[in-house]
Amino acid sequence: MNSILKFFASIKDRYIIWRIHGSSVVACLVNLLFLCLAYLFIPLETSSFNKIRNNFYYYYPQIKKDNPRVFDPLRIIIQTLFLLFIRQSPLDKTNISVFSAAVIRLFNKYAKQPFVRLTEKYTDAIYDKTVKKNVFISRRRRNLTRVLLFASFVTSALAVTQPFDLTYQFIFVILMWLIALLLRAVNNRVSLMLMIFISIIIATRYIYWRLSQTIILITPFTAFCSITLFVAEIYTYIILLLSYFQVSWVLDRKPYPLPKDLKLWPTVDIFIPTYNESLDVVSPCLLACLDLDWPKDKLKIYLLDDGSRSEFEEYCQKIGINYIKRNEHKHAKAGNINNALKITQGELIAIFDCDHIPTRAFLQMTCGWMVHDKNIALVQTPHHFYSEDPFEKNLKLNGRLPAENALFHDFIQKGNDTWNATMFCGSCAVIRRAPLEEIGGIAVETVTEDAHTSLRLNRRGYSSAFISMPLAAGLATESLADHINQRIRWARGMIQIFRIDNPLLGKGLTIPQRLCFTNAMIHFLHGLPRIIFLLAPLPYLFCNVYVIFASGLAILSFVLPYMFYSTLTNQMIQYNKRFYFWGVVYETILSWYITLPTLIALLSPEHGKFNVTAKGASNTSTYFDWTVSKPYILLIVLNMSGFLFGLYNIIFNPYAEISTILINLGWVSYNLLILGAASAVALEAKQVRASPRVNCNMEAMLEAGNGYSIMVNIIDFSKEGLGIALPTLHEKNQLLSEVFHEGSKIHITIRKEDLNYRFAGIVRFSGRNKLGIKVILKDLKSNIEYIRCTFATADRWSHSYDNITPDSLIHGIHTLIVLGLRGYLKMLDNTPHIIREFLWITLKIMIFFFSMLPQPLDVTRPFRKKKSEHNEKQNLTVNGS
Amino acid sequence: MRKLSSALTCLFCLMSVLSFSVKAEDTVKAEATLVASEVDSTPPLSRAENITTTYIHYPFEKLEWVDPSGSLALSGITPRRSVRFTVKRNEIVTKSYMELFYTPSPSLIPVRSQLNVYLNGIMQKTIPIHKEDLGKKVSTKVALDTHIIRDENLIEFEFIGHYTDYCENPVDTTLWLNISAQTTLHLGKQLLHLANDLSSFPLPFINTSTGDKTVLSLIFPQEPDLETIKAASIFSSYGGTISSWRGVDYPVFLDKLPSEGNAVVFMTNSNRPVFLKDYPKTDTPVIEMADIPGTQSDKMLIINAPDSQGLVVACRALAQGNVLFNGPLSRILEFKEIEKRKPYDAPNWADTSKKITFGSLTNFEGQLSSQGFAPAPIELELNLPPDLYFVNGSRIAMDLIYKYTKPSKLGLSQMRLIINEKLIRSYPLNPDEETDEISEYIPLLGNLNIFNRTNVDTSFLRAQNQFRFDFKYSLMFTSKMNECNTIVPIPNRVEIDPNSSFDFTNIYHFTKMPNLNTFWQSGYPFSIYADLQRTAIVLSELNETSELNTLFNTLARIGSQLGYPALNLEIIDARHEEAIKAAGDKDFLVIGRIPDVLSNNENAAIVLNKTEQSIKTSFNDSMPNRFTEEKAVAVQNIKQSNYTGIGAIVSYRSPLSDERTLVAIISDSSEGMSNISQNIIVNHSSIIAAGSVTVIDHNRAKNYDVGDSYYIGDLPWYQRMYYMLLESPFLLMFLCLFSALIFCVLMYRTLRRIQRARLRLQALRKEQ
């Protein structure tokens, strides 16, 4: 009797809690009923279900704590099935998906492990035979190789052109899919190469099929549409091939040790070109350069001021840096450097953009190779940004995603290095003076002088190297508009080089170099093809024009494996440098804007302007950048109306070919999601601080004015201040925050490389267990020391990507949907009232159905924590505002 | 009341007879002029001598244009239907009437509903539907006016039906009248004695007017030589091309006359049948028409030449059409060799080397258009070479342009494309279409294999194809109750543009052999060259009439399938081994016993063993008659059975050449051979041959597939590779993996070397 009463009491409690949190009566009743039923049929109270009960909101992220909705039971059931049957991210240690776990276990035992053993054995054997002994292949073996290569060519040609019945095509595709799964699971170098090759075969098969079967030219309009689409597809195909080639085996170059004898170290000039940036932005760079770890007599630092500003001159004199200004301002940055080149005479030249802050070890890490190999004319290091780029900032990604530029700077450049085609990126690089003077200084013909310079160096037979360690960090572009401007310049410049100094033609380059440079250049032509893909399903939906002339099933049987294989292979290659679908989103954002400049540059390369990207500004308020997103809105409207028209046809047109329409609708929905995600970036988040904060984890000693001191952790820093986590001292929190009250003067001591650096500061913000401190830097020495302790620490940036976990496909799809919908929500929030009311319902419905979908577990979220910030964010994405 | 109505009917009949008698006179006049012209050119004796009248009864199901059941269904929207019958040129109809059986719908209003009968557009009788007839089968006798009967005749029925006084709807389903299959047409015919005039050749020897098969006896002297038989072969093949689908039978007689029917006599100056031994000798080949002595109207065609070479010349000239026929006798003074035919250019086959327009496929004027409330489907025949090789991905593009009158906005109207009774697609007829011309581009994707790897029968296109374009209009006659509007429906009209086309170009010829089905349907592989220039016929007995009959019937069959006579065939005596070996690069058609040269290899032994075994056993079991596939060697060898009269068609790879085929028609007795010769006549047998062995017993056949398979055709090597992999995605996957592995290992080695080289000291490239 007692227990029943207890039970009723608990039910009542729960009801009251839910009602207080704002759930409706119906929702509460339904959920309570569901709860009772669940307890009735499943022994949830037993200890074996402890794990799930304790981490309910981890397993069911779509359920809001204490605020159930009417359909939550349905959501719970769907999510349960999803969890049981679909494997979560490999990092998920909760082992919830019992069914897939069993399948995976069997798969590992009978397929993966034998395969791994086999491939490893074989790779070892090859390694032993060819590399360790360094034996050249005998003539007979070479002939055998040729024969095998020929056979491989013939069989792959067969695999590309073999006609199949639709059924057999599907069987073939499914077989290849199984192989892909196997290869991906194995994930070593051999399996990656197999993946690449099979992906090429499948892609070529698709292109061959498209060319031989699906192009019809009956009416001029159809012919136009289908040829346009096909050309766009050919372009992506070529880019795919080139990128596979480029990164088939990336070179992981480590810094080469410098000779012990300091006399052998070369003299280095450091060039810091500036034009209109504020002193605020430039000074950390100068200070960091002063602190570079290099013999003082062999190091000269030059500020190349194109703006001829007197305060810069004074500042330079004050801190002891050479100041160079020009009389005439021709050729922008390239001209500026070339001007300095005439005046200076160091053996090596290190170039930094004025917002880049080099770490102390920069020269030691890079110059080793220069000393070791006299033919190396360029050593480039990746660009790293310590501020958030517009994507991270506007989408509030909080560093969970690799940065937009990570793919090129941390990965493709490594691939380029394999083929001796490393590209100069304008900053964070060391160049040998003699070769640079030999080619006439930095190239001035195009707006991307850096890439052109490295192309010229390569043409002269000099080699280049890339060291994949972030040794300097700079500021990313502030807003989406800035980002777009910057990319327009790059795109225009690259296409200019492609026209003026085509890497495919001319002397001095090896074939791989030509291919790598070509890929880098024609990559910027992606604008038009992307727009074509965004518009391609519309002719069919509106005018019944067959752009791809084949039945829906046939298209599926060819397109899906092509997409699947190339996505999977790219993901295997790029690993944690770029996640699923993000490349498409980035391209889509740029596509509209770079189309025209690249086309103009392609037709007439001399027309090009230099626009400088603004840095160091701050947004005072959140706003939606309507001007930037206008073209996407046009595309969205077109796609949306295509979608509605297709739906209308399915329902009302008795002759509609439903399967084909459905496939086109799928395509349109994908486009809409991509466009939604793209416009989600256009909502500019406000940025309060001009100097962005960098997360870190340093120990420090904090002293209060009264001599009271405590060991604390520095959790972030910026140019002006530090963020400090206070230790949780029981019952003394009150005391601590009283001691470090806002406005109190403190001292902080940071220990670096066995030295203690002590800085004075003022508490600007004092929270429960967090302090914000403004550092007071009086003299040059303390300024340099502060930079040394923060930005210029040798290994400051080297672990930037360690905490990024590789993506799973399910998670990728989920993210895409979330982002796409979020984009529409944001847009709605910023639209005039009438439109908002009008579209609200549709979006609500979409969001409702989306909320029914299962959600993959977020493994980055701490397990067993009762409540976390992230949970709220997840809900926010679903619910909007 | 009834008397009145019958009186009225009589009056009506009388009036109609009176009014049409004027027209009848016209036709008589026309006949008279025809006779007059005949008189000019022939002796006056040749006018008709009417001797006996024979009565022939045609049940309706034997006439053309009736429904498959044999009956005719008339309804409100199809009130007029007609049937067709033909009369031979040498017959005259003296008496004719029709015994009509029909069933009217029970809901008709008596007398106001009527059935009218027309013959060649002239009303013969109007039959009012009486009250007691409603819903019952009624019979009536309709006399037909013999004067208006011509060679081709049309009997038309018109149904005038009413079911209510108010608001009649022509679509109403109660409006119907069914003319039964029992209805019989009775014709009393007399034979005309025709003049011996070759100008009407091939009449009367080969029937081209009615649907009946031709029976034409071929008469040889004792011991005909090879050349004579070759001449007869060419003639028989020519006869086949002329009679086309009607079929020809050539009974063979040595040195004697048949008891009835027309005949062709082959004779030379030295060797001639007994009954013509006194016939004048000739110095040039001559074709002459003469009466068969002792018959009323039977004719014989005497092909007379100085030697048997001359007979071949005469027959080739005849088949090529360069003989000028006039009067009873024609001399062949000069003979022109014409060029040999190229492969696959038989006139009856669509030319797959270029686009085939619909216009080129029509057989009669107006075939590509149709009209009516429910327009009759437009049909087209398309004969293809039987060895076209389609794989998935071969695209047969059909460029279809059609016009149609706008359908009503209510309901769905559509055009259905039906190929060989299978629905391919249906296209909507758009009521709002402003332009009435639609261009469609239909690739016949999918499982479209004439020749498909595993099974010939699932093919979609066949050697003979029927394309049907069925325009279905939705019919809607709505009127509200108490608000009756008379709607006069307008008939719809649909047309297909003759410039619509199929595109079979770029399709290879490639097929698996042996395949008796292609032989049976299209005379393949002999028919690759329409003049049979790559065919050698091997005859074991020159004196065996049943074998000769089979030979000629076979050639007639092939001729009718190709539309071209076998001008360049070769005939070999089975006893001449050397001659057979010399013809090793040809396809063999063996009649009778297979000579050892052509049967002494293992494959032949397997096929023949199986044949022998099945001849002796297969018809004793009660297994259903279906295609059995057996590749096993038949070990059983039963010696003798008491069952005779069985023949077989076997086919295997020619022992003399890998690319050639041998088809042999063999039997256990001359009855068996005659049985085959009757079954092989086009459209006169339900047998379908298939596989490599077909055993025929009267009207049953069993097919077996034994022996080695081989492929013939012009498929390039890479297509052959595709063909091998066509149904093995597993193999392709392994090939993929294989090439990926090789590539990957090589890449691995190269890239590793490059990697190491990159990290080693690089010598200055400039200095090298």
Side-chain angles (χ1 to χ4, degrees), chain A residues 161-162 165 213 375 417 464, chain B residues 395 428 447 722 755 758 764:
Chain A
T161 55
Q162 173 69 43
D165 206 301
Q213 310 259 322
N375 196 38
D417 197 13
S464 48
Chain B
R395 192 158 70 176
N447 301 314
Y722 293 150
Q755 292 261 321
R758 284 288 294 153
L764 271 173

Side-chain angles (χ1 to χ4, degrees), chain A residues 127 131 145 149 152 155 158 161-162 164-165 197 213 249 253 372-373 375 417 420 438 462 464 549 655, chain B residues 392-393 395 413 428 443 447 722 725-726 739-740 743 746 749 751-752 755-756 758 761-762 764 766:
Chain A
Y127 185 75
V131 184
T145 311
L149 204 63
S152 143
T155 45
L158 204 65
T161 55
Q162 173 69 43
F164 267 140
D165 206 301
F197 191 73
Q213 310 259 322
W249 194 340
R253 193 188 283 267
H372 173 65
D373 184 347
N375 196 38
D417 197 13
N420 193 13
E438 192 184 325
Y462 293 105
S464 48
F549 193 74
Y655 299 108
Chain B
N392 190 292
R395 192 158 70 176
S413 300
N447 301 314
Y722 293 150
L725 286 173
L726 201 55
S739 60
F743 176 81
L746 294 177
R749 288 213 292 224
L751 280 172
R752 227 205 224 282
Q755 292 261 321
R756 283 178 57 87
R758 284 288 294 153
L761 181 74
Q762 301 228 318
L764 271 173
K766 283 165 93 181

Side-chain angles (χ1 to χ4, degrees), chain B residues 459-473:
Chain B
S459 61
F460 184 80
L461 276 183
R462 299 196 284 255
Q464 282 90 30
N465 301 288
Q466 189 198 42
F467 284 73
R468 191 193 297 161
F469 303 92
D470 199 353
F471 290 81
K472 294 287 186 194
Y473 278 90

Side-chain angles (χ1 to χ4, degrees), chain A residues 737-781:
Chain A
S737 49
E738 261 178 30
V739 172
F740 301 107
H741 59 85
E742 279 173 27
S744 64
K745 287 187 179 169
I746 49 106
H747 279 91
I748 188 158
T749 312
I750 303 172
R751 193 174 171 82
K752 269 281 148 209
E753 286 146 17
D754 299 333
L755 288 174
N756 285 332
Y757 302 96
R758 190 159 178 268
F759 306 102
I762 297 174
V763 177
R764 273 294 168 83
F765 159 82
S766 173
R768 193 151 161 265
N769 39 20
K770 214 187 152 198
L771 282 185
I773 291 171
K774 183 179 158 54
V775 188
I776 300 162
L777 303 168
K778 284 175 186 135
D779 52 356
L780 180 65
K781 182 172 163 283

